Amino acid sequence: RRAPAALAAHRARHAADAAAGRCVPPRAEAASVHNYGFSGIHYVRQLRAWFYEVPKSGSTTMVTFFHLRNGGRAQVPPGGPAPGDIGFVVARHPVERAVSAFHTAYSRAVGRTNSTNTQCPYRKFPYLQANISDSDGLSSAVALLGERGAELADASCGYAYHHMLSQAFFLWRERVRLLYSRSPPKGQLLARDDQLPSPVSVVLRLESLAEDLLALCAARNATAYCQKRIEQLGGIKSLNPSHKARLTDAAIRAAQRYYAPDFGCLGYGMAPEEGK
């Protein structure tokens, strides 16, 4: 049993989890939402729960843990999710995630700056400079995201910005609706609410993933399964060391402003801005 202080901290951390089911991404991402080949919605039968995969937030750990496939999409039964089904996600501090995502975006795009016959605006990626700092690179990346949104995440850009989209984007119900809608010859037929997976109501945090996962497993009567998998995998991978110390205050502010929806619906606190 957990100590009272630990139990109180756990309850406080999860008091507002249901807000994740109402996440709305930054305006540019919402305006450019489309199906670019990544779904990342899975059904975990051991938990009777729908798992929403969010890049750079521990999703690969969960995919491995539950024997899933990255980017896959589980079908919703004809009658809709079963009674009692829930949705869950692993979230990460938005600024920490942004730095990690920038490194991935850089590695995917740096070799394509001179590409021809592509619709991707690589030459407008000001962060693709030799030895650019994390602060300048991240600030430039979120500025371009604010202009172009989710269109930067598709195949024409080699999915370079896929990891930099907000966490809210992957949870947004209208994006989920698009993924589960059909496109007959005479136009798109949007999915109804009862044809969608259960919305997220439980948020596991990468910063406390082992504890949060075991709490979810206990709540879903799957403790034995989860403990066995943890033993098989040799434990739950720890969060990478903090990258925020590398950033200037200006870069942190730029990231916080762009990823404000993630802070709001996933329960993370922002660093105070000067003069506020």
Side-chain angles (χ1 to χ4, degrees), residues 33-270:
V33 63
H34 61 292
N35 187 351
Y36 61 91
F38 179 87
S39 298
I41 301 178
H42 313 268
Y43 188 72
V44 180
R45 60 178 180 79
Q46 295 87 351
L47 302 181
R48 305 182 316 284
W50 298 83
F51 169 57
Y52 289 70
E53 190 179 342
V54 174
K56 308 305 293 186
S57 296
S59 58
T60 299
T61 298
M62 290 292 94
V63 165
T64 301
F65 193 92
F66 291 111
H67 301 289
L68 306 172
R69 179 176 61 86
N70 282 106
R73 182 181 63 188
Q75 295 299 311
V76 178
D85 278 1
I86 63 169
F88 75 101
V89 68
V90 178
R92 184 177 185 179
H93 188 284
V95 178
E96 293 276 5
R97 175 178 176 269
V99 178
S100 178
F102 161 69
H103 291 160
T104 298
Y106 184 97
S107 66
R108 290 191 175 196
V110 70
R112 301 185 175 97
T113 52
N114 296 317
S115 297
T116 57
N117 300 322
T118 176
Q119 297 179 6
C120 185
Y122 285 121
R123 288 181 174 81
K124 293 187 178 181
F125 286 18
Y127 69 87
L128 292 181
Q129 304 169 26
N131 301 318
I132 193 168
S133 69
D134 282 353
S135 292
D136 290 343
L138 181 57
S139 297
S140 297
V142 296
L144 189 57
L145 269 173
E147 296 175 10
R148 307 296 290 265
E151 69 178 80
L152 296 176
D154 63 20
S156 69
C157 283
Y159 305 105
Y161 267 86
H162 164 70
H163 294 80
M164 294 205 71
L165 295 176
S166 67
Q167 295 171 85
F169 176 84
F170 297 96
L171 308 183
W172 187 33
R173 294 303 282 172
E174 293 311 307
R175 172 188 176 263
V176 176
R177 190 183 310 280
L178 179 63
L179 292 176
Y180 284 88
S181 296
R182 295 186 294 113
S183 298
K186 293 186 179 181
Q188 190 172 52
L189 186 61
L190 293 177
R192 304 186 309 270
D193 287 348
D194 62 354
Q195 296 173 318
L196 304 180
S198 302
V200 171
S201 59
V202 175
V203 178
L204 314 184
R205 290 174 177 79
L206 193 55
E207 297 82 4
S208 54
L209 182 54
E211 177 188 354
D212 289 353
L213 176 59
L214 284 173
L216 173 62
C217 293
R220 306 301 288 175
N221 297 315
T223 297
Y225 171 84
C226 293
Q227 288 181 335
K228 181 178 179 180
R229 285 297 289 147
I230 289 173
E231 292 174 3
Q232 291 172 340
L233 296 172
I236 296 293
K237 185 178 179 180
S238 300
L239 177 65
N240 291 332
S242 173
H243 296 291
K244 287 193 293 183
R246 304 177 187 176
L247 299 179
T248 63
D249 289 343
I252 291 175
R253 288 195 298 271
Q256 287 188 159
R257 288 169 184 167
Y258 184 78
Y259 294 109
D262 289 351
F263 284 96
C265 70
L266 295 174
Y268 286 96
M270 289 189 185

